[in-house]
Amino acid sequence: MTVIMIVYYLITAFTAAMLIWNFIREKSDRQKMVLYLIVLTPLLLRILRIR
Amino acid sequence: MYLHIGVILLVMAAAYTAANRLKLSVELRMLSATLAGGITGAFFHTPPLMQLGRHMIEGSFTYLDVMLVFVTATIFIEIMATSGSVNFVVRGIVTTFFRVRMLALFLLMFVILIPGALTGAGSVSVLTVGAPCALALGYLGVSRGRSAAILFIIAGLSAAAPPVNIWAMIVSAGTAIPYVGFELPLGIPVLLLGTFTMLTLGWRQEQRLSLEQVLAEMPPVPEGMAWWRVALPFGVFFGLVVIGRVLPFTIPIMGLPLQFVLSAAVALAVSPGPINILTLSRDTVKKLTPLLATMAVVGAMQQVMTVTGVKGLISFAVISVPLIMLYALLVFIIPASEGVLTYGGAAIIGIPLVWFLDSRGLHATVVIAGLSLLWPLGDGLPPTALIGRLTMMVTEYRESYISFLKKTWIPWLAITLVGILMVIFSAKLAFLVEWSM
Amino acid sequence: MTRTAIYKMSLAAIFGLVSGIAGYQFYEHRHYQAPIIAGPGVTRVVKLHEYCPSLKGTPADTDVFFLEGAGDGGTVLLVANTHSNEPAARLTAEIFLENCTIQKGRLIVIPQFNNSGSRNTKPGDGYPLYFEIPTAWGKKKFRMGNRNASPLDSWPDPDVYIHYPDRSLLSYLDVRNTNRTWPGRPDGPLMERVCFAAMELIRNEQVDVAIDIHGAETMFPVTNCIVAPEKSSRIATMVQLMTQAMEGFTVNVYPSPQNFRGLSHREIGDYSNAMPFLLEAPIPFLDQPTGPKTEELLLTGRDPLLLSLARQGKLFVPYDEYGWPMKNRVGQHCSVILEIMNQLSQASPERAVVAENVPRYKDVLEHDVGYYYHNPATADPARVYPN
Ligand SMILES: [Zn+2]
């Protein structure tokens, strides 16, 4: 794996971390909670190198 | 077969409407339609029920890289805004060009065109230069609504402008037509239509302010701000893009997200004041989540529509109508396909359409160029309204979405006319392709 | 626990469950091995990285099968699954690998050219993950791959792919498309390295004819044809005439465009002494206006929407209720390849390649594809190559 590819996993992981942080902080907007998970799903499967 | 696919399509529409009644957001409405379509499809074993989740998640990968571009580009521009660069730039543009208004408008057009032209994404234009340009337009006497309209139309043209045009690339890749010779067939209409837009929407000076008044109204410049602090991060970004193009075989492939990350790091380093990157990123991602979810859901919807046959039926309908009627319908179908499916419209409708028109003796490259002027218009149409919504956000235009859209009608019409005429008379315009190569 | 916390946890559980199932399916698909049996004609098997060391250990490395005859002659290279969503290619290559013996000259077969692409899926296009070919001993299961290599192996994409060395601008996706990255570089993006290795193989092994097997949509003008540059066009035309006269099917000859770079039928000819041929058989499954994307559609090519378009005169191939079954496509490929070898042997007898025990079009139509595959469970394990 190249250095640039590793950086892309880091960028993806950083974005995923921000989504999880927002998901945990979200107190009232139930629709928004779903949206965080929708975006998070492909990011997590990429980080885990599944797809 | 037509019947059962039609049933699935109806169920999707019904689910969309029902979700609307339940006051769900547009992303969740599309998700409901997708889920309902998929479950109905599973009754016919298309897809098998145990594959439905896989299809939806696989679809959500379609625009994964575009999502990363959105995130990194927006974090970059948020750093620039927080550091005070934006205010500084606006002040500079207004002071220098206050008295030569038309020249200022013309230069602003180029400022908006460049980022989208280089990246192929109108959203990048809106996100990187949208806010300062909208402010500058405001100080040049253009109303907020018209500024938003200008930004939306020019950003759309920037996405269509060469060298990078994603719609043309998707259609070219799908039809095995080389992505070459697009410079003039795209560049000339984009410049003409952009100038036309600036003239029609920017000509009238709706408010008259003296330079002193304008400067007094503008936000203060932070202590220690200087031109090089603004120029350096942008310089790094455009430098990375340009060097990748000039030395493609010596520079490794970086991709836009990494280029934005490096520029963001430089922006962070040269900001005059301290910036908390973690909270800034958290809040940026929060603000972007509806758009990111739109991309993911559109991909999932596209895949479920394909596996159930709904996409095939739609594309069948498009190529079954007579040629003359097709030209008339394109005016609506092309932007609408973008509004519903974002780039998916180019794949679902564009590819069979270009094959079909190519086989009827039209010049494929010019046809693709003409169509790709129409697609960006759809970025202002619901349900996604991707660039339209970004434009509203960036320009802080607070009226209804419809009132924003209405302000774009004159350039919208001009772009439509030029695009369709390019398709119809593509064979006569083939010289533009030859001169480009 | 608050109601919001319960709501959040249930949401996370639902998403976790769905992604868990889908993730398992993706993982299985990426790691599934469809065995290839080296038949009596296979004399040795090497890895593609022998021709480009930087491929070693990457998921793009793949098996290269040599079938060497006793008599001197020329060399023919067969490349399959350049696009792994056009699977008639691999099915044809496996018929050669499991049955063919070479009398004169050599046959080199790369049955899984874009290995990474074959372990990838195509977002948005809703393919089944696998398809099965019935055989005398049960069903043989294959991965349905993608046109492009997996982003797990080649990431990120450029904003625009600049073709090496020509600098043509191509779609960003094409950096992962092994029919755009020819002739390639030893230190370029992964797919350029795959193509470079193949170019090195062609040059070092003195390949006379390189055949790249594909499938194309029925609504695409370049389908059901042989794409050939100037240097291959005479043989291509002879093959068209011979198969039409002797075997009763028609493939067209389509000239390789000069300015469309990165394709095998262009670059192999320009960067080596070999004559390239690219074979296209129709694959209705890939057409846009079809019904549901099912395994059945993939194997039969039968679709009512396409039938209706055919009646409107909008397809580029003959099409009726019969569809375009896999056996017709594989059978055509077999006959066209054998006829190319035959024409090569007639044009330059010292470079002849003579193959035996390969079925022709009529044989494949009669017996169907699976008839030519042997049972990996009963084969000599040393001759079974997981792929
Ligand atoms: Zn192909």
Side-chain angles (χ1 to χ4, degrees):
Chain A
M1 209 186 292
T2 64
V3 178
I4 290 180
M5 203 160 160
I6 293 167
V7 173
Y8 269 78
Y9 282 99
L10 294 176
I11 294 173
T12 313
F14 181 77
T15 310
M18 294 302 127
L19 286 163
I20 294 170
W21 191 2
N22 277 305
F23 178 72
I24 293 169
R25 272 168 49 98
E26 184 62 61
K27 294 283 177 263
S28 55
D29 191 337
R30 295 196 161 195
Q31 293 195 28
K32 194 119 190 201
M33 292 172 198
V34 182
L35 298 190
Y36 288 128
L37 295 182
I38 291 174
V39 183
L40 191 58
T41 304
L43 297 183
L44 284 183
L45 287 175
R46 174 58 53 87
I47 297 164
L48 295 171
R49 285 187 54 76
I50 285 173
R51 223 241 77 119
Chain B
M1 181 183 269
Y2 304 90
L3 187 68
H4 104 245
I5 300 174
V7 169
I8 298 174
L9 183 57
L10 280 180
V11 170
M12 289 183 77
Y16 191 95
T17 320
N20 199 13
R21 288 267 169 78
L22 292 172
K23 301 223 180 324
L24 294 189
S25 63
V26 60
E27 303 80 27
L28 293 181
R29 272 179 256 160
M30 286 196 288
L31 183 69
S32 315
T34 306
L35 203 55
I39 291 170
T40 316
F43 280 103
F44 305 95
H45 219 60
T46 56
L49 190 60
M50 281 310 283
Q51 291 286 322
L52 179 57
R54 191 267 295 181
H55 280 297
M56 292 187 63
I57 290 176
E58 189 177 310
S60 72
F61 273 86
T62 312
Y63 303 107
L64 184 70
D65 290 293
V66 182
M67 286 156 70
L68 291 181
V69 171
F70 282 145
V71 170
T72 50
T74 318
I75 288 176
F76 167 60
I77 201 61
E78 287 291 334
I79 294 173
M80 294 300 282
T82 313
S83 73
S85 304
V86 173
N87 299 338
F88 185 75
V89 167
V90 174
R91 198 172 262 269
I93 292 173
V94 172
T95 341
T96 319
F97 297 111
F98 192 72
R99 285 183 202 293
V100 246
R101 203 168 156 274
M102 284 326 291
L103 182 65
L105 289 176
F106 193 65
L107 287 174
L108 279 174
M109 175 183 89
F110 274 98
V111 173
I112 306 172
L113 278 178
I114 289 167
L118 287 176
T119 60
S123 51
V124 177
S125 271
V126 175
L127 291 169
T128 52
V129 299
C133 286
L135 280 174
L137 286 170
Y139 297 136
L140 288 167
V142 182
S143 72
R144 189 161 283 199
R146 285 182 176 222
S147 302
I150 287 178
L151 184 60
F152 168 72
I153 293 286
I154 305 287
L157 289 173
S158 83
V164 180
N165 176 323
I166 308 268
W167 298 282
M169 284 176 160
I170 289 174
V171 177
S172 296
T175 51
I177 288 158
Y179 182 70
V180 290
F182 279 97
E183 286 82 356
L184 294 180
L186 283 172
I188 291 174
V190 163
L191 285 182
L192 290 179
L193 289 166
T195 311
F196 175 79
T197 306
M198 280 308 202
L199 288 177
T200 47
L201 291 178
W203 183 264
R204 223 171 78 208
Q205 200 167 354
E206 283 158 293
Q207 48 203 15
R208 283 192 182 277
L209 301 167
S210 71
L211 181 58
E212 289 70 34
Q213 270 175 298
V214 169
L215 289 180
E217 265 187 45
M218 282 167 58
V221 172
E223 191 88 29
M225 199 56 197
W227 271 109
W228 67 270
R229 289 184 197 272
V230 184
L232 196 64
F234 278 105
V236 167
F237 175 69
F238 290 118
L240 288 172
V241 172
V242 168
I243 203 168
R245 294 221 138 205
V246 177
L247 302 170
F249 310 134
T250 32
I251 304 292
I253 291 168
M254 292 178 118
L256 287 169
L258 179 55
Q259 289 164 342
F260 277 118
V261 165
L262 293 176
S263 318
V266 173
L268 206 57
V270 301
S271 163
I275 293 173
N276 184 338
I277 185 68
L278 281 181
T279 53
L280 180 142
S281 304
R282 181 195 68 200
D283 296 340
T284 307
V285 167
K286 180 175 184 171
K287 196 155 54 170
L288 271 179
T289 293
L291 286 167
L292 299 174
T294 300
M295 298 306 289
V297 173
V298 161
M301 184 158 85
Q302 194 181 325
Q303 175 138 356
V304 167
M305 283 171 82
T306 312
V307 75
T308 51
V310 171
K311 182 179 109 172
L313 190 66
I314 291 173
S315 126
F316 171 79
V318 168
I319 50 187
S320 295
V321 292
L323 204 54
I324 296 297
M325 216 163 102
L326 186 63
Y327 289 144
L329 285 174
L330 284 184
V331 173
F332 308 100
I333 289 176
I334 295 295
S337 73
E338 176 76 11
V340 179
L341 299 165
T342 334
Y343 291 119
I348 293 172
I349 293 173
I351 292 171
L353 189 66
V354 168
W355 279 353
F356 172 56
L357 294 177
D358 187 39
S359 70
R360 288 290 175 277
L362 276 68
H363 194 288
T365 308
V366 184
V367 168
I368 296 173
L371 292 178
S372 66
L373 290 174
L374 300 185
W375 266 304
L377 296 175
D379 283 331
L381 293 179
T384 54
L386 207 61
I387 310 293
R389 282 156 66 192
L390 271 184
T391 305
M392 297 257 294
M393 187 176 102
V394 163
T395 54
E396 295 179 356
Y397 178 69
R398 306 257 182 250
E399 311 286 311
S400 74
Y401 190 78
I402 293 294
S403 78
F404 153 73
L405 218 50
K406 276 185 185 159
K407 296 208 162 48
T408 64
W409 78 271
I410 300 175
W412 189 297
L413 203 68
I415 292 170
T416 306
L417 214 61
V418 171
I420 291 295
L421 289 176
M422 280 174 72
V423 172
I424 297 174
F425 296 107
S426 58
K428 293 203 167 66
L429 295 168
F431 66 92
L432 289 173
V433 178
E434 277 139 39
W435 289 0
S436 300
M437 299 197 285
Chain C
M1 204 163 17
T2 67
R3 290 178 66 147
T4 310
I6 295 170
Y7 173 77
K8 276 191 194 174
M9 285 172 72
S10 348
L11 268 188
I14 293 168
F15 272 84
L17 183 70
V18 176
S19 339
I21 296 171
Y24 175 74
Q25 290 167 332
F26 285 128
Y27 185 87
E28 252 202 343
H29 175 263
R30 184 166 157 84
H31 295 88
Y32 176 76
Q33 303 283 15
I36 292 177
I37 301 171
V42 176
T43 45
R44 62 194 169 101
V45 183
V46 303
K47 284 281 181 186
L48 190 60
H49 76 241
E50 308 252 327
Y51 300 92
C52 175
S54 68
L55 270 183
K56 194 170 181 178
T58 72
D61 204 0
T62 190
D63 288 329
V64 182
F65 294 77
F66 281 75
L67 292 81
E68 293 152 311
D72 286 344
T75 302
V76 169
L77 169 68
L78 215 54
V79 176
N81 275 24
T82 299
H83 293 151
S84 297
N85 58 343
E86 298 158 8
R90 170 151 173 187
L91 298 181
T92 305
E94 278 194 31
I95 287 184
F96 276 81
L97 283 174
E98 294 202 11
N99 302 281
C100 178
T101 48
I102 297 291
Q103 284 292 305
K104 271 176 93 175
R106 292 193 300 174
L107 174 66
I108 306 173
V109 184
I110 309 178
Q112 191 61 74
F113 188 55
N114 189 342
N115 190 28
S116 169
S118 80
R119 296 170 191 282
N120 187 18
T121 62
K122 192 163 190 213
D125 280 20
Y127 296 168
L129 290 173
Y130 308 94
F131 64 94
E132 291 180 322
I133 299 291
T135 71
W137 43 269
K139 287 183 165 178
K140 184 161 183 179
K141 181 170 152 185
F142 295 87
R143 292 184 305 275
M144 178 67 177
N146 187 359
R147 184 179 170 85
N148 303 310
S150 170
L152 293 177
D153 306 320
S154 178
W155 198 33
D157 294 339
D159 52 352
V160 54
Y161 174 53
I162 303 176
H163 172 255
Y164 176 85
D166 191 74
R167 289 182 177 255
S168 283
L169 300 182
L170 298 167
S171 157
Y172 60 96
L173 283 169
D174 285 331
V175 75
R176 290 185 275 126
N177 177 351
T178 41
N179 201 25
R180 294 296 180 278
T181 50
W182 297 89
R185 295 175 275 173
D187 52 356
L190 196 55
M191 295 306 118
E192 285 191 5
R193 284 187 258 158
V194 171
C195 287
F196 178 79
M199 280 310 306
E200 283 290 284
L201 180 154
I202 290 167
R203 289 184 284 248
N204 295 348
E205 306 291 345
Q206 276 134 39
V207 169
D208 300 282
V209 158
I211 303 170
D212 186 13
I213 317 171
H214 286 255
E217 297 86 339
T218 62
M219 288 194 69
F220 184 46
V222 187
T223 188
N224 202 32
C225 65
I226 306 170
V227 188
E230 190 63 17
K231 72 201 273 192
S232 319
S233 65
R234 202 193 61 81
I235 287 186
T237 310
M238 284 307 292
V239 170
Q240 175 190 25
L241 295 173
M242 291 304 289
T243 50
Q244 191 161 22
M246 310 296 289
E247 311 203 45
F249 66 86
T250 309
V251 290
N252 304 307
V253 175
Y254 198 89
S256 161
Q258 280 290 342
N259 59 350
F260 196 177
R261 307 310 304 200
L263 291 98
S264 62
H265 55 71
R266 176 83 262 140
E267 311 292 355
I268 290 177
D270 288 4
Y271 287 88
S272 77
N273 295 323
M275 286 184 280
F277 298 85
L278 188 145
L279 312 187
E280 297 277 17
I283 169 165
F285 178 87
L286 293 187
D287 273 294
Q288 298 284 339
T290 71
K293 298 293 182 187
T294 58
E295 183 186 352
E296 195 200 339
L297 174 59
L298 177 65
L299 296 178
T300 64
R302 214 171 286 140
D303 184 87
L305 298 181
L306 286 181
L307 185 61
S308 170
L309 289 168
R311 290 185 177 137
Q312 298 175 33
K314 285 174 177 164
L315 304 191
F316 290 89
V317 293
Y319 193 92
D320 55 25
E321 285 85 355
Y322 179 69
W324 260 97
M326 192 60 97
K327 60 182 178 186
N328 288 57
R329 302 175 237 163
V330 172
Q332 281 197 9
H333 283 320
C334 287
S335 274
V336 168
I337 293 164
L338 290 173
E339 196 51 45
I340 291 174
M341 289 180 180
N342 183 29
Q343 292 299 327
L344 169 73
S345 307
Q346 292 193 3
S348 32
E350 74 289 353
R351 304 299 297 165
V353 177
V354 179
E356 287 184 332
N357 300 322
V358 180
R360 297 193 84 101
Y361 179 65
K362 284 204 180 73
D363 307 314
V364 183
L365 280 198
E366 188 188 333
H367 298 294
D368 213 337
V369 179
Y371 175 83
Y372 299 97
Y373 299 150
H374 301 92
N375 190 352
T378 56
D380 173 6
R383 305 287 284 171
V384 179
Y385 292 83
N387 204 307

